[in-house]
C-alpha cells in the first residue's frame, strides 16, 4: 500500500516486475526440467518435461499462496471485519 500520489508508479513497478519474472520463468523452466533443442523433437521427452514443469509451477503457486497468507495483516482489518459481521447480524 502506498499513498495515492504514488499509486501510478507503484502499479507500473508491480507490472514490470511481474512481466520480468514471467520472462525469466519461461526462459529457465525448460532448462530446469532438462529440455534441450534435441529432446523437444522427441514426444516422450517433451511430455516428461511438461509434466515436470507443471509440477514445479504448481509448487511455486502453493509457495506463493502460503507466503501471501503469512503476510496478511492481523490487526485492524480483522477487527473491522468482525465489527461489520456483528452489525450485519444485529440488523437481522
Amino acid at each position: 500500500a502506498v499513498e495515492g500520489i504514488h499509486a501510478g508508479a507503484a502499479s507500473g513497478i508491480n507490472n514490470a516486475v511481474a512481466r520480468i519474472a514471467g520472462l525469466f520463468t519461461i526462459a529457465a523452466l525448460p532448462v530446469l526440467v532438462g529440455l534441450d533443442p534435441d529432446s523437444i523433437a522427441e514426444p516422450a521427452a517433451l511430455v516428461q518435461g511438461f509434466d515436470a514443469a507443471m509440477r514445479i509451477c504448481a509448487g511455486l503457486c502453493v509457495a506463493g499462496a502460503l507466503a501471501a497468507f503469512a503476510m496478511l495483516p492481523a490487526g485492524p482489518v480483522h477487527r473491522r471485519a468482525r465489527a461489520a459481521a456483528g452489525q450485519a447480524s444485529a440488523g437481522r
Side-chain angles (χ1 to χ4, degrees):
V2 296
E3 295 177 15
I5 194 166
H6 301 296
S11 176
I13 291 170
N14 185 39
N15 189 22
V17 169
R19 287 181 181 268
I20 290 170
L23 290 173
F24 279 134
T25 303
I26 289 170
L29 206 52
V31 175
L32 290 174
V33 298
L35 287 176
D36 58 15
D38 296 330
S39 64
I40 290 176
E42 188 178 331
L46 189 59
V47 168
Q48 186 177 8
F50 182 80
D51 182 57
M54 291 303 103
R55 291 178 190 274
I56 289 171
C57 289
L60 290 173
C61 285
V62 169
L66 291 173
F69 182 74
M71 293 181 206
L72 285 174
V77 173
H78 294 293
R79 283 194 291 266
R80 277 187 267 147
R82 264 189 259 125
Q87 289 173 355
S89 64
R92 290 184 181 176

